[in-house]
Amino acid sequence: VEATDGTAIGDGVGPGLNGAAAIPVSGQRVVLGKVAAPEGQEATSDHFYFWVPATALVERSQLVVCESVIATRQYTFYGLVEETYRGSRKRSMAGEVDEADGDVGYQPPFVSDGYTYAKASILRTEPAVLTSPRERSDVYLATDADARLAYQVDEMGQPLGIGLVKNGGEQLAGVGCIDLDYLLGAIGGHMVVNGTTGRGTKTSFLLTVLWLLLRLARRQAKERPSDPNRLRIAPIIFNVKGFDLFYIDRPNNRFDPGAHLGDWQRLEVDGPGPFANVSYYAVQQPGNSLPVPTGRSEGVQPYSWSLRDLVQQGLVTYLFAEADIQDSNFSAITDDLEAWLTNERTANDGTATRSLRADRGQPTTFQDLLKWTRQQAKAKEADRELGGHHSGTWQKLVRRLIKVVYESRGALRRDDQEGNPLNVARADTSDPIVIDLAALADQPELQRFVVATVFRQLVTARTGSAAVRDLVYVVMIDELNRFAPRGARDPITQLIETVAAEMRSQGIILFGAQQQASKVSEKVIENAGVRALGKSGSLELASPIWRFLGDGARRKAEALPPNEKLLIQDNFREPLHLRVPFPAWAMNPREAGGETVSRADGGDDLMAIIDK
Ligand SMILES: Nc1ncnc2c1ncn2[C@@H]1O[C@H](COP(=O)(O)OP(=O)(O)OP(=O)(O)O)[C@@H](O)[C@H]1O
Ligand SMILES: [Mg+2]
């Protein structure tokens, strides 16, 4: 017999057995107990009770299997132990006290032992029937193979192993999978993770899933490069806190191979390593060509836009707040302005190229544009270059332009002809792009502008004629409570809601994290095909957004250690309880050790770096 974690165990004595007596073993499975259905504890299509012999130990959150013959057919019920119970044969506490005559040192000559039983909720019935198991059916401890079936791995379009299935307190039951059809768009899309700060390990979890996705995509590219259906992933990561995510290409100095490598190897990753060839972008400083200081000495590129860049990419109207654009006079003047600045050419294949017009002395820098709008605002209607707008609207345009250009500091180049606009479009699976938003923390308008330009570029990249079918852009935004708070109607929130609700089919997938889902836009949470729960507070878990969780899952979520998660996917009847491997890349500057990793020594060669 093999225990669920792969270690050999003695003849017929299964894991979790506390007595000397062997428990009967049937095939590979260890018999744990027998279904019982007395009055008040009847079996239903949802759960059943089973008693456990004195020699066996049953734990809450173990996976069990029950074989039951019903109407001459054999059915298999896969269950999750919700709770264990121990009862004595006394009718009341008074009886217990009286047995010892109230003396703790007294050993009664005749003792009648109590009994143990457990309640299991049913995860799956095979063949699929909605019925209850029969009493006296055998209940077994689940094997790795059973655990896969319990969580429908056999029915998944594209399973991806992301952790190890917890099977009681210490045991594991093989690799736990999510279905990429639910994550990347075929059936559902997007993933959000919830958890208290630090202990919830949200950001590391998202990066772990990203790492495993990238690895799978690279594998498939190597094994079948010309397969049009292979997985293609382009990750875009927004850094929102400090410059924490500017070190994901460095080994994690807290990664201890002795303690942490085993879990990766169980996921069939022999040498986990940092991300390789990461591109980092931070906003450009005013007056020079450098990015703002990030703490990283090399490899960070600046991003910024000149007027010319904005026109070329069709971003002029993005400069203004949504509330302004909703004012029809204002949106008319910005549309006119954009048209007056833009020269648009459509090629035979339908692709449009835009450039800055120069036929009527159009301004070429923001500084010129400011000067020009000021002149227009002051001029008489007959002398204006763009007719048909009130003076008040012109003045509003001047005020808004001054505000956005001056407040942007370096992001909008006041006097430069050329900026360094972000280019996030990719042709195939590529290494992560990390874009800093943290340095813009005091300018939400500008953060929105950056996020919006990225999404806009992705939509264009996915729908243009050069669109790469099946390339999935995974956009990771941490701290959703800041960017898409519940009840907010501001432009960033609306943008993220639109991505969550509509962009899945366009190959744009959101990976989000938050401390409290109850404080994040419902639309974003509801549209996530996969939800993960790290350790969360009881107040948070009592909020309506978690109403669907059973009692058992809720208690589990309150007590999860940093390396465990509950995974919720539509077709799971109960959350999947996983142990997630420790990140091999630095999660912040304090964890950064060793040297930056480039493709040649990335991935499966981390051990070589650690050994150096
Ligand atoms: N699987 C794991 N097992 C054990 N420790 C982990 C694991 N993943 C991450 N950690 C540790 O926990 C720390 C915090 O993780 P992380 O930054 O992911 O938390 P967070 O929930 O995103 O926190 P915050 O709310 O502050 O953003 C990491 O720096 C890492 O050292
Ligand atoms: Mg975090």
Short mmCIF file of all heavy atoms in Angstrom, two decimals, residues 415-466:
data_model
loop_
_atom_site.label_atom_id
_atom_site.label_comp_id
_atom_site.label_asym_id
_atom_site.label_seq_id
_atom_site.Cartn_x
_atom_site.Cartn_y
_atom_site.Cartn_z
N ASP A 415 7.86 69.32 -24.23
CA ASP A 415 8.58 69.93 -25.36
C ASP A 415 9.14 68.91 -26.34
O ASP A 415 9.67 69.29 -27.38
CB ASP A 415 9.73 70.79 -24.83
CG ASP A 415 9.21 71.91 -23.95
OD1 ASP A 415 8.33 72.65 -24.40
OD2 ASP A 415 9.66 72.01 -22.78
N ASP A 416 9.07 67.62 -25.99
CA ASP A 416 9.71 66.62 -26.86
C ASP A 416 8.80 66.24 -28.02
O ASP A 416 7.59 66.17 -27.89
CB ASP A 416 10.02 65.35 -26.07
CG ASP A 416 11.04 65.60 -24.97
OD1 ASP A 416 11.67 66.67 -25.01
OD2 ASP A 416 11.17 64.75 -24.07
N GLN A 417 9.45 65.99 -29.18
CA GLN A 417 8.72 65.50 -30.34
C GLN A 417 8.39 64.02 -30.17
O GLN A 417 7.39 63.55 -30.67
CB GLN A 417 9.57 65.68 -31.61
CG GLN A 417 9.88 67.12 -31.96
CD GLN A 417 8.68 67.83 -32.57
OE1 GLN A 417 7.73 67.20 -33.05
NE2 GLN A 417 8.70 69.16 -32.54
N GLU A 418 9.30 63.29 -29.52
CA GLU A 418 9.13 61.85 -29.37
C GLU A 418 9.13 61.48 -27.90
O GLU A 418 9.96 61.96 -27.14
CB GLU A 418 10.29 61.08 -30.04
CG GLU A 418 10.57 61.45 -31.48
CD GLU A 418 9.51 60.93 -32.43
OE1 GLU A 418 8.80 59.98 -32.05
OE2 GLU A 418 9.39 61.50 -33.54
N GLY A 419 8.21 60.61 -27.52
CA GLY A 419 8.24 60.05 -26.17
C GLY A 419 8.67 58.60 -26.23
O GLY A 419 9.27 58.17 -27.23
N ASN A 420 8.39 57.88 -25.18
CA ASN A 420 8.70 56.45 -25.17
C ASN A 420 7.42 55.69 -24.85
O ASN A 420 7.26 55.15 -23.76
CB ASN A 420 9.75 56.13 -24.11
CG ASN A 420 11.09 56.73 -24.44
OD1 ASN A 420 11.70 56.36 -25.44
ND2 ASN A 420 11.53 57.68 -23.62
N PRO A 421 6.48 55.68 -25.80
CA PRO A 421 5.19 55.05 -25.48
C PRO A 421 5.34 53.55 -25.22
O PRO A 421 6.22 52.91 -25.80
CB PRO A 421 4.34 55.32 -26.73
CG PRO A 421 5.30 55.64 -27.81
CD PRO A 421 6.52 56.20 -27.17
N LEU A 422 4.50 53.05 -24.33
CA LEU A 422 4.52 51.62 -24.04
C LEU A 422 4.09 50.85 -25.28
O LEU A 422 3.16 51.26 -25.96
CB LEU A 422 3.54 51.31 -22.91
CG LEU A 422 3.95 51.74 -21.51
CD1 LEU A 422 2.75 51.68 -20.57
CD2 LEU A 422 5.08 50.84 -20.99
N ASN A 423 4.77 49.77 -25.53
CA ASN A 423 4.30 48.88 -26.59
C ASN A 423 4.18 47.48 -26.01
O ASN A 423 5.17 46.81 -25.79
CB ASN A 423 5.27 48.90 -27.77
CG ASN A 423 4.79 47.96 -28.86
OD1 ASN A 423 3.66 47.45 -28.79
ND2 ASN A 423 5.62 47.73 -29.85
N VAL A 424 2.96 47.06 -25.75
CA VAL A 424 2.77 45.78 -25.07
C VAL A 424 2.26 44.69 -26.01
O VAL A 424 2.08 43.56 -25.59
CB VAL A 424 1.81 45.93 -23.87
CG1 VAL A 424 2.41 46.82 -22.81
CG2 VAL A 424 0.46 46.46 -24.30
N ALA A 425 2.02 45.03 -27.27
CA ALA A 425 1.53 44.01 -28.20
C ALA A 425 2.63 42.99 -28.47
O ALA A 425 3.80 43.34 -28.58
CB ALA A 425 1.08 44.66 -29.49
N ARG A 426 2.28 41.74 -28.53
CA ARG A 426 3.24 40.67 -28.76
C ARG A 426 2.72 39.76 -29.86
O ARG A 426 1.53 39.78 -30.18
CB ARG A 426 3.45 39.85 -27.48
CG ARG A 426 4.13 40.64 -26.34
CD ARG A 426 5.58 40.94 -26.70
NE ARG A 426 6.29 41.64 -25.64
CZ ARG A 426 6.42 42.96 -25.55
NH1 ARG A 426 5.84 43.74 -26.44
NH2 ARG A 426 7.12 43.51 -24.58
N ALA A 427 3.64 38.96 -30.42
CA ALA A 427 3.23 38.08 -31.50
C ALA A 427 3.00 36.65 -31.03
O ALA A 427 2.28 35.88 -31.65
CB ALA A 427 4.28 38.10 -32.60
N ASP A 428 3.63 36.30 -29.93
CA ASP A 428 3.53 34.91 -29.46
C ASP A 428 3.83 34.92 -27.96
O ASP A 428 4.07 35.99 -27.38
CB ASP A 428 4.55 34.04 -30.21
CG ASP A 428 4.17 32.57 -30.20
OD1 ASP A 428 3.49 32.13 -29.26
OD2 ASP A 428 4.55 31.84 -31.15
N THR A 429 3.87 33.75 -27.35
CA THR A 429 4.22 33.63 -25.94
C THR A 429 5.46 34.47 -25.64
O THR A 429 6.43 34.41 -26.39
CB THR A 429 4.49 32.16 -25.58
OG1 THR A 429 3.27 31.45 -25.72
CG2 THR A 429 5.00 32.02 -24.16
N SER A 430 5.38 35.29 -24.58
CA SER A 430 6.55 36.12 -24.29
C SER A 430 6.74 36.27 -22.79
O SER A 430 5.83 35.99 -22.00
CB SER A 430 6.40 37.49 -24.95
OG SER A 430 5.12 38.01 -24.69
N ASP A 431 7.93 36.71 -22.41
CA ASP A 431 8.25 36.88 -21.00
C ASP A 431 7.51 38.09 -20.46
O ASP A 431 7.07 38.96 -21.21
CB ASP A 431 9.77 37.03 -20.86
CG ASP A 431 10.48 35.73 -21.21
OD1 ASP A 431 10.13 34.70 -20.61
OD2 ASP A 431 11.35 35.75 -22.11
N PRO A 432 7.36 38.15 -19.10
CA PRO A 432 6.50 39.19 -18.53
C PRO A 432 6.98 40.61 -18.78
O PRO A 432 8.17 40.88 -18.88
CB PRO A 432 6.54 38.89 -17.03
CG PRO A 432 7.04 37.51 -16.90
CD PRO A 432 7.89 37.23 -18.09
N ILE A 433 5.99 41.51 -18.85
CA ILE A 433 6.24 42.95 -18.90
C ILE A 433 5.73 43.49 -17.58
O ILE A 433 4.58 43.24 -17.23
CB ILE A 433 5.41 43.59 -20.04
CG1 ILE A 433 5.75 42.93 -21.37
CG2 ILE A 433 5.61 45.09 -20.07
CD1 ILE A 433 4.78 43.34 -22.48
N VAL A 434 6.58 44.19 -16.83
CA VAL A 434 6.14 44.78 -15.57
C VAL A 434 6.06 46.29 -15.76
O VAL A 434 7.05 46.92 -16.13
CB VAL A 434 7.09 44.43 -14.41
CG1 VAL A 434 6.64 45.10 -13.12
CG2 VAL A 434 7.17 42.92 -14.21
N ILE A 435 4.88 46.86 -15.51
CA ILE A 435 4.68 48.30 -15.70
C ILE A 435 4.37 48.93 -14.35
O ILE A 435 3.41 48.53 -13.69
CB ILE A 435 3.51 48.57 -16.67
CG1 ILE A 435 3.80 47.91 -18.02
CG2 ILE A 435 3.29 50.08 -16.84
CD1 ILE A 435 2.61 47.91 -18.95
N ASP A 436 5.17 49.88 -13.95
CA ASP A 436 4.95 50.49 -12.64
C ASP A 436 3.83 51.52 -12.67
O ASP A 436 3.80 52.39 -13.55
CB ASP A 436 6.22 51.17 -12.14
CG ASP A 436 5.94 51.88 -10.83
OD1 ASP A 436 5.56 51.18 -9.88
OD2 ASP A 436 6.03 53.12 -10.77
N LEU A 437 2.94 51.43 -11.69
CA LEU A 437 1.93 52.46 -11.49
C LEU A 437 2.12 53.13 -10.13
O LEU A 437 1.51 54.15 -9.83
CB LEU A 437 0.51 51.87 -11.52
CG LEU A 437 -0.03 51.30 -12.82
CD1 LEU A 437 -1.43 50.73 -12.60
CD2 LEU A 437 -0.08 52.39 -13.89
N ALA A 438 2.99 52.53 -9.31
CA ALA A 438 3.13 53.01 -7.93
C ALA A 438 3.66 54.43 -7.89
O ALA A 438 3.26 55.23 -7.04
CB ALA A 438 4.03 52.07 -7.14
N ALA A 439 4.56 54.77 -8.82
CA ALA A 439 5.11 56.12 -8.80
C ALA A 439 4.06 57.16 -9.16
O ALA A 439 4.27 58.36 -8.98
CB ALA A 439 6.30 56.20 -9.78
N LEU A 440 2.92 56.71 -9.68
CA LEU A 440 1.84 57.64 -10.03
C LEU A 440 0.72 57.59 -8.99
O LEU A 440 -0.42 57.97 -9.27
CB LEU A 440 1.26 57.29 -11.40
CG LEU A 440 2.24 57.22 -12.56
CD1 LEU A 440 1.56 56.71 -13.82
CD2 LEU A 440 2.83 58.61 -12.81
N ALA A 441 1.06 57.08 -7.79
CA ALA A 441 0.02 56.84 -6.78
C ALA A 441 -0.82 58.08 -6.49
O ALA A 441 -2.01 57.98 -6.23
CB ALA A 441 0.64 56.31 -5.51
N ASP A 442 -0.20 59.27 -6.56
CA ASP A 442 -0.96 60.48 -6.24
C ASP A 442 -1.67 61.06 -7.47
O ASP A 442 -2.22 62.15 -7.40
CB ASP A 442 -0.05 61.52 -5.59
CG ASP A 442 1.17 61.82 -6.45
OD1 ASP A 442 1.44 61.04 -7.39
OD2 ASP A 442 1.84 62.84 -6.21
N GLN A 443 -1.62 60.35 -8.60
CA GLN A 443 -2.28 60.86 -9.81
C GLN A 443 -3.18 59.80 -10.43
O GLN A 443 -2.84 59.22 -11.47
CB GLN A 443 -1.24 61.30 -10.83
CG GLN A 443 -0.47 62.53 -10.39
CD GLN A 443 0.92 62.45 -10.93
OE1 GLN A 443 1.74 61.69 -10.45
NE2 GLN A 443 1.18 63.24 -11.95
N PRO A 444 -4.33 59.54 -9.81
CA PRO A 444 -5.21 58.49 -10.32
C PRO A 444 -5.60 58.70 -11.79
O PRO A 444 -5.74 57.73 -12.53
CB PRO A 444 -6.44 58.55 -9.41
CG PRO A 444 -6.23 59.68 -8.47
CD PRO A 444 -4.84 60.18 -8.61
N GLU A 445 -5.71 59.96 -12.21
CA GLU A 445 -6.06 60.24 -13.61
C GLU A 445 -5.02 59.65 -14.55
O GLU A 445 -5.33 59.09 -15.59
CB GLU A 445 -6.08 61.76 -13.83
CG GLU A 445 -7.38 62.41 -13.47
CD GLU A 445 -8.52 61.85 -14.29
OE1 GLU A 445 -8.38 61.82 -15.53
OE2 GLU A 445 -9.53 61.44 -13.70
N LEU A 446 -3.77 59.80 -14.15
CA LEU A 446 -2.68 59.34 -14.99
C LEU A 446 -2.56 57.82 -14.94
O LEU A 446 -2.26 57.17 -15.94
CB LEU A 446 -1.39 60.00 -14.51
CG LEU A 446 -0.40 60.30 -15.61
CD1 LEU A 446 -1.00 61.23 -16.64
CD2 LEU A 446 0.85 60.92 -15.02
N GLN A 447 -2.83 57.26 -13.75
CA GLN A 447 -2.84 55.80 -13.65
C GLN A 447 -3.89 55.24 -14.62
O GLN A 447 -3.64 54.27 -15.33
CB GLN A 447 -3.19 55.37 -12.23
CG GLN A 447 -2.04 55.54 -11.26
CD GLN A 447 -2.39 54.99 -9.88
OE1 GLN A 447 -3.55 55.00 -9.47
NE2 GLN A 447 -1.39 54.53 -9.16
N ARG A 448 -5.06 55.86 -14.62
CA ARG A 448 -6.11 55.41 -15.52
C ARG A 448 -5.64 55.51 -16.97
O ARG A 448 -5.85 54.62 -17.78
CB ARG A 448 -7.37 56.26 -15.37
CG ARG A 448 -8.44 55.87 -16.37
CD ARG A 448 -9.57 56.88 -16.40
NE ARG A 448 -9.22 58.09 -17.12
CZ ARG A 448 -9.65 58.39 -18.35
NH1 ARG A 448 -10.43 57.56 -18.97
NH2 ARG A 448 -9.29 59.50 -18.93
N PHE A 449 -4.97 56.61 -17.28
CA PHE A 449 -4.49 56.81 -18.64
C PHE A 449 -3.56 55.65 -19.04
O PHE A 449 -3.69 55.08 -20.11
CB PHE A 449 -3.77 58.15 -18.75
CG PHE A 449 -3.18 58.39 -20.10
CD1 PHE A 449 -3.98 58.79 -21.16
CD2 PHE A 449 -1.82 58.21 -20.33
CE1 PHE A 449 -3.45 58.99 -22.42
CE2 PHE A 449 -1.28 58.41 -21.58
CZ PHE A 449 -2.09 58.81 -22.63
N VAL A 450 -2.65 55.29 -18.14
CA VAL A 450 -1.69 54.22 -18.46
C VAL A 450 -2.42 52.89 -18.63
O VAL A 450 -2.22 52.17 -19.62
CB VAL A 450 -0.60 54.11 -17.36
CG1 VAL A 450 0.35 52.96 -17.67
CG2 VAL A 450 0.17 55.42 -17.24
N VAL A 451 -3.31 52.58 -17.67
CA VAL A 451 -4.04 51.31 -17.76
C VAL A 451 -4.89 51.29 -19.03
O VAL A 451 -4.92 50.30 -19.76
CB VAL A 451 -4.92 51.12 -16.49
CG1 VAL A 451 -5.79 49.88 -16.61
CG2 VAL A 451 -4.04 51.02 -15.25
N ALA A 452 -5.55 52.42 -19.30
CA ALA A 452 -6.43 52.47 -20.47
C ALA A 452 -5.64 52.32 -21.76
O ALA A 452 -6.08 51.61 -22.68
CB ALA A 452 -7.21 53.79 -20.48
N THR A 453 -4.47 52.95 -21.85
CA THR A 453 -3.69 52.82 -23.10
C THR A 453 -3.26 51.37 -23.30
O THR A 453 -3.27 50.88 -24.43
CB THR A 453 -2.42 53.69 -23.10
OG1 THR A 453 -1.68 53.39 -21.94
CG2 THR A 453 -2.74 55.15 -23.13
N VAL A 454 -2.93 50.70 -22.19
CA VAL A 454 -2.52 49.30 -22.32
C VAL A 454 -3.69 48.46 -22.82
O VAL A 454 -3.55 47.70 -23.78
CB VAL A 454 -1.96 48.78 -20.98
CG1 VAL A 454 -1.84 47.26 -21.01
CG2 VAL A 454 -0.61 49.41 -20.69
N PHE A 455 -4.85 48.62 -22.20
CA PHE A 455 -6.00 47.81 -22.65
C PHE A 455 -6.37 48.14 -24.09
O PHE A 455 -6.69 47.27 -24.88
CB PHE A 455 -7.20 48.02 -21.73
CG PHE A 455 -7.11 47.22 -20.46
CD1 PHE A 455 -7.23 47.81 -19.23
CD2 PHE A 455 -6.89 45.84 -20.51
CE1 PHE A 455 -7.14 47.08 -18.05
CE2 PHE A 455 -6.80 45.10 -19.34
CZ PHE A 455 -6.93 45.72 -18.11
N ARG A 456 -6.29 49.43 -24.41
CA ARG A 456 -6.65 49.82 -25.77
C ARG A 456 -5.70 49.16 -26.78
O ARG A 456 -6.11 48.68 -27.82
CB ARG A 456 -6.59 51.34 -25.89
CG ARG A 456 -6.57 51.73 -27.30
CD ARG A 456 -7.23 52.99 -27.65
NE ARG A 456 -7.18 53.00 -29.10
CZ ARG A 456 -8.00 53.68 -29.85
NH1 ARG A 456 -8.92 54.39 -29.29
NH2 ARG A 456 -7.87 53.64 -31.15
N GLN A 457 -4.43 49.15 -26.42
CA GLN A 457 -3.45 48.54 -27.31
C GLN A 457 -3.72 47.04 -27.47
O GLN A 457 -3.59 46.49 -28.55
CB GLN A 457 -2.07 48.71 -26.70
CG GLN A 457 -1.06 49.21 -27.69
CD GLN A 457 0.24 49.51 -27.01
OE1 GLN A 457 0.79 48.66 -26.30
NE2 GLN A 457 0.73 50.71 -27.20
N LEU A 458 -4.11 46.41 -26.35
CA LEU A 458 -4.37 44.98 -26.41
C LEU A 458 -5.57 44.68 -27.30
O LEU A 458 -5.54 43.74 -28.11
CB LEU A 458 -4.61 44.42 -25.00
CG LEU A 458 -3.41 44.52 -24.06
CD1 LEU A 458 -3.71 43.87 -22.73
CD2 LEU A 458 -2.17 43.89 -24.69
N VAL A 459 -6.62 45.50 -27.17
CA VAL A 459 -7.80 45.27 -28.00
C VAL A 459 -7.43 45.44 -29.48
O VAL A 459 -7.78 44.62 -30.32
CB VAL A 459 -8.94 46.24 -27.62
CG1 VAL A 459 -10.09 46.12 -28.61
CG2 VAL A 459 -9.44 45.93 -26.22
N THR A 460 -6.66 46.49 -29.78
CA THR A 460 -6.24 46.70 -31.17
C THR A 460 -5.40 45.53 -31.64
O THR A 460 -5.57 45.03 -32.76
CB THR A 460 -5.42 48.00 -31.29
OG1 THR A 460 -6.08 49.01 -30.54
CG2 THR A 460 -5.27 48.43 -32.73
N ALA A 461 -4.49 45.09 -30.78
CA ALA A 461 -3.60 43.99 -31.18
C ALA A 461 -4.40 42.73 -31.45
O ALA A 461 -4.06 41.94 -32.32
CB ALA A 461 -2.57 43.74 -30.08
N ARG A 462 -5.47 42.52 -30.68
CA ARG A 462 -6.25 41.31 -30.85
C ARG A 462 -7.22 41.38 -32.01
O ARG A 462 -7.69 40.36 -32.49
CB ARG A 462 -7.01 40.98 -29.56
CG ARG A 462 -6.16 40.28 -28.50
CD ARG A 462 -5.66 38.93 -28.97
NE ARG A 462 -6.71 38.15 -29.59
CZ ARG A 462 -7.17 37.02 -29.13
NH1 ARG A 462 -6.67 36.51 -28.05
NH2 ARG A 462 -8.12 36.38 -29.76
N THR A 463 -7.60 42.60 -32.43
CA THR A 463 -8.61 42.69 -33.48
C THR A 463 -8.05 43.17 -34.81
O THR A 463 -8.71 43.04 -35.82
CB THR A 463 -9.76 43.62 -33.05
OG1 THR A 463 -9.20 44.84 -32.59
CG2 THR A 463 -10.59 43.02 -31.95
N GLY A 464 -6.84 43.71 -34.81
CA GLY A 464 -6.25 44.20 -36.05
C GLY A 464 -6.00 43.05 -37.01
O GLY A 464 -6.16 41.88 -36.67
N SER A 465 -5.60 43.39 -38.22
CA SER A 465 -5.44 42.32 -39.22
C SER A 465 -4.24 41.44 -38.89
O SER A 465 -4.19 40.28 -39.26
CB SER A 465 -5.27 42.93 -40.60
OG SER A 465 -4.03 43.59 -40.66
N ALA A 466 -3.29 42.00 -38.16
CA ALA A 466 -2.12 41.19 -37.80
C ALA A 466 -2.39 40.41 -36.52
O ALA A 466 -1.49 39.84 -35.92
CB ALA A 466 -0.90 42.09 -37.61
#
